[in-house]
């Protein structure tokens, strides 16, 4: 039994602690919501909404961060990642 305990302790010493995340305390990006010059977009106007979102971020000197959770919501296209 003592041999098994020594082996367990020896193997446990080889394990490295989990690395700390570099993003701790980072602020989550604000979603970017775009409309058609104040008018609602149609759901079929995703390409036009993307151009508006790209231009909005470019005007701030940043880039759009598109993602899988971007969506159409009541006349507004929502880009969850916002501008980076």
């Amino acid at each position: 039994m003592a041999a098994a305990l020594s082996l367990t302790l020896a193997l446990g010493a080889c394990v490295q602690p989990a690395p700390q995340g570099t993003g701790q305390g980072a602020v989550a990006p604000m979603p970017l919501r775009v409309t058609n010059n104040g008018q609602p977009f149609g759901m079929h106007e995703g390409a036009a909404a993307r151009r508006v979102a790209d231009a909005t971020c470019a005007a701030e000197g940043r880039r759009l961060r598109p993602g899988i959770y971007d969506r159409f919501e009541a006349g507004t296209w929502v880009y969850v990642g916002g501008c980076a």
Side-chain angles (χ1 to χ4, degrees), residues 7-59:
L7 182 59
T8 303
L9 292 175
L11 291 176
C14 296
V15 177
Q16 295 179 355
Q20 297 297 317
T22 57
Q24 291 179 350
V27 177
M30 292 294 299
L32 175 64
R33 298 174 183 273
V34 295
T35 60
N36 192 6
N37 288 324
Q39 298 297 314
F41 271 116
M43 185 177 230
H44 65 282
E45 296 178 293
R50 172 64 187 264
R51 285 190 293 273
V52 170
D54 283 332
T56 301
C57 291

Side-chain angles (χ1 to χ4, degrees), residues 36-82:
N36 192 6
N37 288 324
Q39 298 297 314
F41 271 116
M43 185 177 230
H44 65 282
E45 296 178 293
R50 172 64 187 264
R51 285 190 293 273
V52 170
D54 283 332
T56 301
C57 291
E60 299 175 2
R62 302 187 304 165
R63 290 179 11 141
L64 179 65
R65 295 179 57 196
I68 61 171
Y69 297 108
D70 298 342
R71 63 188 177 278
F72 177 76
E73 189 175 272
T76 303
W77 280 91
V78 181
Y79 295 90
V80 178

